[in-house]
């Protein structure tokens, strides 16, 4: 049985009505993974035994009438989210053998609902990239075309949902790592407001930008999962103390009377025509549903990529310094002194892209350069907040392309990293300004690849963009991928 | 090599006495089996996050109050990045631009060349940070071990202005700061256990110079004595260098306690670039006016207030009061003892006399006093109320030190409790007088110094029977007949 068109919400009904048992559901997904993932490489680790055990325990809850929204729902987890007793590699040689002795708070929260964990999904090494091709082992393919990239860094999580290898998944988003692969793989991905979801147990890339969020087949599913994983966590001092709310509250509410901003800088020549047209067409759909379209502007967008790469690389350089081969992870065979051992372990353990960012970050923080680079980038952070504040005084949320283009071929070997970085232009300001954003498919290009649009809300307004996203999804007919089958 | 003025600034690291570590809930107590007091957070496992211990913030602010600092109600943590095996995250969470406390002042009094001096030392800042782990090296096997128990113990760094002019002054300053921190209840200041450590920045200049000389930094001095010796040596080394036409290089030096010399560790060129930046995992610290006054209200009695109280309520001399106050353990012990026996003067005399003497000769370990203030107070009370002889009080005390138990029982067992049998006393005195006719004769002829001899004879025989005063009065009366 393939559940490629089933959402978390519809599976909930099937489970509760006993149309299928949690074990059967889990087994079906596991079978699909073993059949098709050889063509997709979306999973780094598959947890067959524990998943079936979790399904059994979920079934007991269902039988006892104690099912919660995610009880018995098979999920996949990005491999940078710590899972006690299960390999958590960050798709890096550095952590190829790392089994954390603790679970991330999001995992604890999902376990409390008796969700089922099918396994860990591949990603760009340490979440640095937008292709999932920097992964040490599993370079994930796009389920719509296995010659093409799934996007990244949460490429494994997006591809697994897209191909029907899990009901939904968790990704992490530092500069677009949930939204861009969701867009490339034709699924829905939500990056929550910074601090909405605990980061405890998420192996840090850039602490001030990282957020864990859901990748699913609908906006409603994203809301259901956000309901489960959000909330204050005493283990994360930066997590928000806001009281819980229902992020599916605006499902079905429509967009009548809402003001939707169209920031002109996001529709420049840097964005493919097909993409622009699809997103603007979606905006027209909203208009036809009773929303008002408003022109707006984010004047500093041209500085966004530079600011993002300075802040994220600086924090990454510091966050990744702990991987020295002494306590865990890859340790070199060579090295007579501490410094040599650390140098060799890091040289061998990290891939090229990670090394590039570590060097960039350390350079930006160096004495004499701090003010010119990191200091300037932090000043820009403030400016983005102000510009977004002005935008949200005019409108309820904005609509933008999720990426300037659709998924490209793996052999489109782009060697200039600066060019690759520029493709992040549509997503990074959301992280810099701590905002929530959701992406969903709004069309397909002439080769059949999905086009994503993003709705960006003001801080804490997830419910609204989830509701608006749902309104569009109900008007849009999706085309399922071949899924590597 | 005369005529140089030393310019000295200190950095004091003090571990705070919080129960748990500064960013996790592990125990912050000293020692423990290696790596028994650490968790994924303080041993820097991936994905873990620091959560600030509010008590550590409170203690750092208390330290600020103790050293007369201003408090930054808006304060920020930063990361100090460097690789070292005792630093599992490869960065230390510290504070760079917005420390918790700034602009303090510590008055010190000290004696130099027999002259009493006072000087106010300015404090530049006090910031809160985390301690690193401990490394032990086994040179024989060529292996090193890392113990992370100390990782994440809250630490304050106290930085002075370059206001200190001599080794004596530096020592007096460290002792004063140590005293103030102990009174504030934020640090036990045990240098031998590393809960208080000191770095010295020192340069020298000629009186005619308008600019400071190049400074050397001497790291990790772990006793007040070492601080003094290291400074003395540095002044000597730098003076000699300059006298010979050389120049001082900016560098970090280590003090060799055995040789009494400082040795170069690394030069400025090899110094780390710490690549500080604001710690994104910890929110900025905002301390409200209410929180600040709450912390102020919780400040324990500081030494100056205690001195006022001792002089006013206890009526002991300032010299005695200072002897007691200058050691917080003694002062607290004294207060407790006076609570049991309200004779501050007598208790003070006994503590500054007999108890301090035994501490100084090492019979009593001040950090592990085995007897209670109540027991000491009882001894003083017995001596003062003629239950035992004053001279016997010392013997009872000695027995108490050796084997702590009820002093009344000790006195009874040793036969010191005076029965006040006056018939027996007269009998003994008459016996002593008739046994020593020559001495009695001498006394009557004005050689009063023999009184001591006769008194001694009587006292020995009257142990536990009569008080010294009674014996003395009776003996005098009989001799003058």
């Amino acid at each position: 049985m393939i559940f490629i068109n089933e959402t978390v919400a519809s599976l909930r009904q099937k489970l509760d009505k006993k149309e299928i048992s949690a074990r059967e559901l889990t087994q079906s997904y596991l079978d699909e993974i073993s059949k098709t993932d050889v063509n997709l490489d979306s999973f780094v680790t598959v947890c067959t035994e524990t998943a079936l055990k979790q399904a059994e325990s979920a079934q007991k809850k269902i039988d006892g009438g104690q099912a919660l929204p995610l009880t018995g729902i098979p999920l996949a987890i990005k491999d940078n989210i710590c899972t006690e007793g299960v390999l958590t590699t960050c798709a890096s040689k550095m952590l190829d053998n790392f089994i954390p002795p603790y679970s991330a708070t999001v995992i604890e929260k999902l376990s409390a609902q008796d969700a089922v964990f099918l396994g860990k999904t591949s990603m760009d090494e340490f979440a640095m990239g937008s292709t999932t091709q920097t992964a040490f082992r599993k370079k994930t393919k796009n389920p719509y075309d296995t010659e093409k990239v799934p996007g990244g860094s949460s490429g494994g999580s997006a591809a697994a949902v897209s191909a029907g290898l899990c009901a939904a998944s968790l990704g992490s988003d530092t500069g677009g790592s949930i939204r861009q692969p969701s867009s490339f793989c034709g699924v829905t991905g939500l990056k929550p407001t910074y601090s909405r979801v605990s980061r405890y147990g998420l192996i840090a890339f850039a602490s001030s930008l990282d957020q864990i969020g859901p990748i699913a087949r609908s906006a409603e599913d994203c809301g259901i999962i956000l309901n489960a994983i959000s909330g204050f966590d005493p283990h994360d001092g930066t997590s928000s103390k806001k009281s819980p709310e229902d992020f599916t509250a605006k499902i079905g509410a429509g967009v009548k009377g809402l003001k939707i901003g169209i920031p002109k800088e996001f529709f420049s020549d840097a964005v493919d025509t097909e993409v622009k047209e699809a997103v603007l067409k979606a905006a027209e759909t909203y208009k036809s549903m009773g929303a008002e379209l408003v022109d707006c502007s984010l004047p500093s967008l041209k500085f966004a990529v530079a600011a993002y790469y300075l802040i994220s690389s600086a924090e990454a350089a510091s966050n990744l310094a702990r991987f020295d081969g002494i306590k865990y992870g890859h340790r070199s065979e060579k090295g007579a002194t501490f410094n040599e051992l650390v140098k060799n372990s890091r040289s061998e353990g990290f891939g090229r892209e990670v090394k590039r960012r570590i060097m960039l970050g350390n350079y930006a923080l160096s004495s004499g350069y701090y003010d010119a680079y990191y200091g300037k980038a932090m000043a820009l952070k403030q400016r983005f907040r102000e510009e977004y504040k002005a935008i949200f005084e005019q409108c309820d949320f904005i609509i933008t392309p999720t990426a300037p283009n659709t998924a490209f071929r793996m052999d489109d070997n782009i060697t200039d990293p600066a060019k690759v970085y520029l493709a992040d232009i549509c997503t990074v300001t959301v992280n810099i300004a701590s905002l929530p954003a959701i992406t969903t498919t709004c069309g397909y290009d002439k080769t059949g690849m999905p086009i994503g649009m993003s709705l960006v809300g003001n801080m804490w307004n997830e419910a609204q963009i989830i509701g608006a996203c749902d309104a569009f999804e109900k008007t849009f007919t999706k085309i399922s991928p071949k899924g590597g089958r | 090599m005369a005529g140089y003025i030393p310019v000295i600034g200190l950095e004091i690291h003090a571990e705070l006495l919080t129960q748990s570590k500064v960013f996790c809930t592990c125990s912050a107590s000293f020692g423990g089996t290696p790596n028994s007091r650490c968790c994924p957070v303080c041993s820097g496992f991936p994905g873990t996050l620091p959560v600030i211990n509010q008590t550590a913030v409170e203690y750092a602010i208390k330290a600020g109050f103790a050293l007369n600092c201003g408090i930054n109600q808006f304060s920020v943590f930063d990361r100090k990045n460097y690789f070292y095996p005792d630093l599992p995250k490869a960065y230390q969470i510290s504070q760079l631009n917005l420390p918790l406390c700034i602009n303090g002042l510590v008055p010190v009094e000290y004696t130099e060349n027999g002259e009493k001096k006072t000087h106010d030392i300015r404090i530049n800042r006090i910031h809160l940070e985390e301690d690193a782990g401990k490394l032990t090296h086994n040179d024989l096997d060529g292996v090193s071990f890392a113990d992370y128990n100390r990782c994440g113990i809250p630490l304050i760094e106290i930085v002075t202005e370059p206001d200190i002019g001599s080794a004596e002054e530096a020592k007096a300053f460290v002792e004063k700061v140590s005293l103030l921190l102990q009174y504030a209840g934020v640090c036990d200041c045990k240098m031998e256990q590393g809960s208080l450590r000191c770095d010295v920045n020192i340069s020298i200049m000629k009186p005619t110079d308008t600019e400071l000389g190049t400074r050397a930094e001497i790291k990790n001095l772990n006793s007040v004595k070492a601080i003094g010796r290291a400074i003395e040596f540095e002044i000597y080394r730098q003076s000699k260098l300059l006298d010979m036409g050389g120049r001082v290089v900016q560098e970090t030096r280590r003090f060799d306690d055995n040789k009494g010399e400082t040795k170069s560790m690394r030069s400025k060129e090899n110094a780390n670039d710490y690549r500080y930046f604001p710690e994104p995992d910890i929110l900025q610290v905002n301390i409200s006016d209410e929180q600040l006054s709450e912390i102020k209200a919780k400040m324990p009695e500081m030494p100056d207030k205690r001195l006022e109280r001792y002089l006013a309520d206890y009526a002991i001399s300032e010299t005695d009061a200072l002897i007691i106050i200058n050691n917080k353990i003694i002062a607290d012990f004294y207060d407790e003892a006076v609570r049991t026996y309200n004779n501050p003067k007598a208790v003070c005399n006994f503590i500054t006399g007999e108890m301090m003497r035994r501490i100084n000769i090492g019979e009593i370990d001040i950090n592990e006093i085995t007897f209670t203030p109540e027991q000491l107070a009882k001894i003083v009370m017995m001596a003062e109320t003629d239950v035992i002889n004053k001279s016997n009080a010392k013997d009872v005390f000695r027995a108490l030190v050796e084997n702590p138990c009820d002093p009344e029982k000790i006195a009874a067992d040793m036969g010191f409790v005076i029965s006040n049998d006056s018939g027996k006393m007269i009998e003994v005195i008459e016996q002593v007088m008739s046994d020593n006719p020559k001495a009695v004769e001498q006394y009557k002829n004005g050689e009063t110094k023999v009184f001591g001899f006769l008194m001694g004879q009587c006292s020995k025989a009257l142990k536990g029977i009569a008080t010294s005063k009674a014996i003395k009065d009776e003996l005098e009366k009989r001799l003058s007949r």
Side-chain angles (χ1 to χ4, degrees), chain B residues 114-409:
Chain B
E115 193 187 334
K116 273 202 187 275
K117 294 182 175 174
T118 59
H119 191 194
D120 289 345
I121 312 293
R122 290 171 301 157
I123 305 293
N124 173 285
R125 60 188 283 155
I126 303 177
H127 66 251
L128 180 58
E129 59 186 26
E130 56 181 336
D131 210 344
K134 228 174 198 168
L135 298 178
T136 43
H137 306 286
N138 184 334
D139 290 336
L140 212 62
D141 301 331
V143 285
S144 297
F145 297 97
D147 175 5
Y148 296 144
N149 283 355
R150 206 176 67 180
C151 279
I153 289 184
L155 205 60
I156 49 170
E157 182 173 330
I158 302 163
V159 182
T160 74
E161 297 292 349
D163 284 354
I164 299 166
S166 72
E168 284 310 316
E169 191 177 346
K171 283 159 68 181
F173 173 78
V174 172
E175 275 168 353
K176 184 67 181 282
V177 165
S178 159
L179 189 71
L180 293 172
L181 294 180
Q182 286 179 68
Y183 270 84
V186 299
C187 178
D188 61 15
C189 300
K190 292 179 180 167
M191 290 193 88
E192 70 285 1
Q193 289 186 356
S195 65
L196 194 85
R197 313 191 282 272
C198 188
D199 300 342
V200 173
N201 282 289
I202 173 166
S203 66
I204 57 170
M205 63 194 288
K206 286 203 168 125
T208 50
D209 288 348
T210 49
E211 273 176 36
L212 294 177
T214 308
R215 68 170 196 270
E217 182 178 11
I218 312 159
K219 281 274 183 200
N220 266 331
L221 296 160
N222 54 14
S223 73
V224 173
K225 203 172 155 195
I227 293 167
R229 291 173 68 209
I231 290 174
E232 300 278 11
F233 179 82
E234 255 324 276
I235 295 172
Y236 163 78
R237 184 186 72 88
Q238 293 186 16
S239 305
K240 207 167 123 189
L241 252 176
L242 294 187
D243 282 347
M244 288 174 10
R247 60 184 191 90
V248 177
V249 287
Q250 188 170 340
E251 61 182 353
T252 304
R253 299 179 71 83
R254 183 201 331 260
F255 180 64
D256 182 334
D257 224 336
N258 295 324
K259 291 187 183 155
E261 293 174 3
T262 65
K263 287 244 165 57
S264 181
M265 273 168 81
R266 54 172 185 260
S267 69
K268 195 200 172 193
E269 287 71 39
N270 297 324
N272 280 317
D273 177 354
Y274 292 119
R275 290 156 287 134
Y276 277 100
F277 72 103
E279 165 58 278
D281 288 331
I282 298 176
L283 297 178
Q284 293 147 347
V285 181
N286 284 297
I287 297 147
S288 66
D289 293 344
E290 293 78 49
Q291 282 172 301
L292 207 58
S293 20
E294 266 171 41
I295 297 170
K296 190 145 213 175
K298 279 199 250 176
M299 280 297 282
E301 185 184 48
M302 296 302 286
D304 51 344
K305 291 279 169 231
R306 200 172 285 207
L307 179 62
E308 277 173 30
R309 177 162 66 85
Y310 283 3
L311 297 182
D313 298 358
Y314 290 173
I316 57 177
S317 77
E318 186 168 341
T319 315
D320 282 349
L322 282 174
I323 291 173
I324 287 180
I325 286 166
N326 282 337
N327 189 315
K328 167 117 189 325
I329 296 171
I330 295 292
D332 290 345
F333 194 93
Y334 174 60
D335 273 338
E336 278 298 309
V338 171
R339 214 158 290 151
T340 298
Y341 177 47
N342 190 14
N343 186 339
K345 180 91 189 111
V347 175
C348 168
N349 287 342
F350 199 84
I351 287 177
T352 55
E354 195 54 17
M355 181 165 166
M356 296 286 253
R357 188 177 71 81
R358 289 191 189 274
I359 289 168
N360 291 340
I361 59 175
E363 283 182 14
I364 299 171
D365 178 353
I366 189 149
N367 292 311
E368 277 173 61
I369 299 176
T370 52
F371 51 93
T372 65
E374 292 75 19
Q375 288 169 334
L376 177 135
K378 265 190 187 172
I379 296 176
V380 180
M381 181 161 62
M382 286 192 290
E384 290 298 316
T385 54
D386 289 335
V387 175
I388 58 173
N389 271 321
K390 286 219 169 85
S391 56
N392 290 339
K394 291 176 188 175
D395 300 311
V396 177
F397 183 60
R398 180 182 200 150
L400 178 72
V401 170
E402 283 164 4
N403 184 18
C405 64
D406 183 9
E408 283 171 2
K409 188 175 176 298

Side-chain angles (χ1 to χ4, degrees), chain B residues 33-95:
Chain B
T33 312
N35 297 313
S36 63
R37 288 173 188 163
C38 47
C39 70
V41 177
C42 56
S43 42
F45 268 62
T48 60
L49 295 170
V51 177
I52 185 93
N53 177 345
Q54 291 302 331
T55 310
V57 174
E58 181 185 316
Y59 279 21
I61 291 173
K62 278 181 166 176
F65 283 140
L67 307 190
N68 306 306
C69 290
I71 308 300
N72 273 331
Q73 284 174 261
F74 175 75
S75 182
V76 173
F77 284 91
D78 298 279
R79 288 190 188 176
K80 180 180 181 180
N81 296 285
Y82 63 97
F83 288 102
Y84 205 67
D86 66 4
L87 192 68
K89 298 191 300 300
Y91 58 83
Q92 179 193 35
I93 302 176
S94 181
Q95 298 192 286

